[in-house]
Amino acid sequence: MPTTTVPNLPMPDDEVERALVVTAHPDDVDFGAGATIATWTDAGIEVVYCICTDGDAGGFDLDFPRDQIAGVRRAEQIEAAKRVGVHDVRFLGYPDGRLEASFDLRRDISRVIRQVRPQRMLVSSPERDYERIGRSHPDHRAAGQAALDAIYPDARNPFAYPELRLDEGLDAWITQETWIMGAPHAAHLPTHYVDVTDTFERKLSALRAHESQTAHMDDLAEMLGNRLRITAEQGGLPTGRLAEAFLVMATA
Ligand SMILES: [Zn+2]
């Protein structure tokens, strides 16, 4: 049962047909929003992931053959997606650790927006969180900025990247609302809390699919449970509930 402090936002899930998630790395969506994604797919929303890099600079095992990591991480993300009901994962193939909100990235995200035609999008925050440095990986900020720039103005402007329309037949598209994960507390929008108590186990399962990233985290369930419990308390949910938190902005 979602709760909200945002007037008129978000749209009810049953009015959303398609949602598009844009992140920098395989595993970002699962850490930030995996349990919420499960509530969306349960509600019948068709969710597509667009991952800007293959996460080829990630991992913890120095002996892992580096030329295999990109393929492994793609496969892990595809499996993790399945565990929360997502069966369409698209990779843009940018190099991990060097992502920039470039015109190329904006065009490539705009292409996916026009292909998927989502009513709702979920992206990383382009803002730095000064309270928790790990949230604000430069790639996350770049992906968030490029995605928001693609949402407005690029994807809706038929004259932006005209080759998308003229060569690929992709018409302009306006995304109604955008959810932002990992935003600093001091951001300018009220926070939307999703009660994810019932889908928390599927978030954990999705994260365990990212074996190259999480196999060494013995305390993953406890660490995440504590974090989501605190988030729920901040959102005024009943004691013992778990929540993921987002900024939700109107982008129509
Ligand atoms: Zn990441």
Side-chain angles (χ1 to χ4, degrees), residues 24-28 73 137 139-140:
H25 309 122
D27 83 11
D28 291 348
R73 295 206 64 190
H137 190 293
D139 286 354
H140 297 185

Side-chain angles (χ1 to χ4, degrees), residues 15-251:
E15 289 178 19
V16 178
E17 283 177 66
R18 294 174 304 278
L20 173 63
V21 177
V22 179
T23 65
H25 309 122
D27 83 11
D28 291 348
V29 63
D30 299 297
F31 272 110
T36 297
I37 297 295
T39 68
W40 292 0
T41 57
D42 282 354
I45 299 174
E46 188 187 327
V47 179
V48 177
Y49 290 170
C50 171
I51 317 286
C52 299
T53 79
D54 294 336
D56 44 292
F60 58 92
D61 182 353
L62 291 176
D63 298 326
F64 194 95
R66 297 311 296 178
D67 58 344
Q68 291 175 26
I69 190 74
V72 165
R73 295 206 64 190
R74 281 188 183 220
E76 288 173 346
Q77 181 64 89
I78 289 166
E79 174 59 29
K82 276 187 203 153
R83 296 184 185 186
V84 291
V86 177
H87 303 281
D88 187 344
V89 185
R90 306 180 190 190
F91 295 92
L92 299 183
Y94 284 78
D96 185 5
R98 287 179 282 150
L99 197 64
E100 291 178 313
S102 63
F103 289 119
D104 281 347
L105 181 58
R106 283 168 54 176
R107 181 201 56 231
D108 289 347
I109 295 171
S110 297
R111 174 184 291 113
V112 180
I113 292 173
R114 291 187 186 187
Q115 289 169 338
V116 174
R117 301 165 76 81
Q119 290 80 30
R120 174 183 290 168
M121 286 184 62
L122 188 152
V123 306
S124 302
S125 173
E127 287 187 81
R128 184 184 292 281
D129 185 345
Y130 289 100
E131 291 173 3
R132 269 181 45 203
I133 196 164
R135 273 188 161 186
S136 306
H137 190 293
D139 286 354
H140 297 185
R141 302 202 317 272
Q145 180 169 334
L148 285 165
D149 290 344
I151 291 165
Y152 176 86
D154 298 341
R156 72 188 60 192
N157 179 359
F159 306 109
Y161 310 110
E163 65 273 25
L164 294 181
R165 190 169 52 87
L166 299 175
D167 300 342
E168 302 179 37
L170 295 169
D171 288 330
W173 181 258
I174 296 171
T175 301
Q176 300 288 308
E177 69 179 24
T178 301
W179 295 38
I180 300 174
M181 63 178 179
H185 287 305
H188 311 292
L189 288 166
T191 304
H192 173 61
Y193 295 88
V194 180
D195 185 330
V196 295
T197 315
D198 297 339
T199 54
F200 178 64
E201 284 301 324
R202 285 155 72 194
K203 175 189 180 85
L204 276 181
S205 171
L207 282 165
R208 290 198 180 105
H210 296 283
E211 235 176 281
S212 70
Q213 309 302 299
T214 60
H216 63 307
M217 295 182 183
D218 295 331
D219 61 345
L220 184 67
E222 194 187 351
M223 187 255 299
L224 282 172
N226 287 337
R227 188 186 296 169
L228 270 56
R229 205 166 289 118
I230 291 168
T231 301
E233 279 169 22
Q234 288 168 340
L237 276 70
T239 308
R241 306 299 288 180
L242 306 175
E244 290 174 335
F246 307 90
L247 303 184
V248 182
M249 66 183 294
T251 47

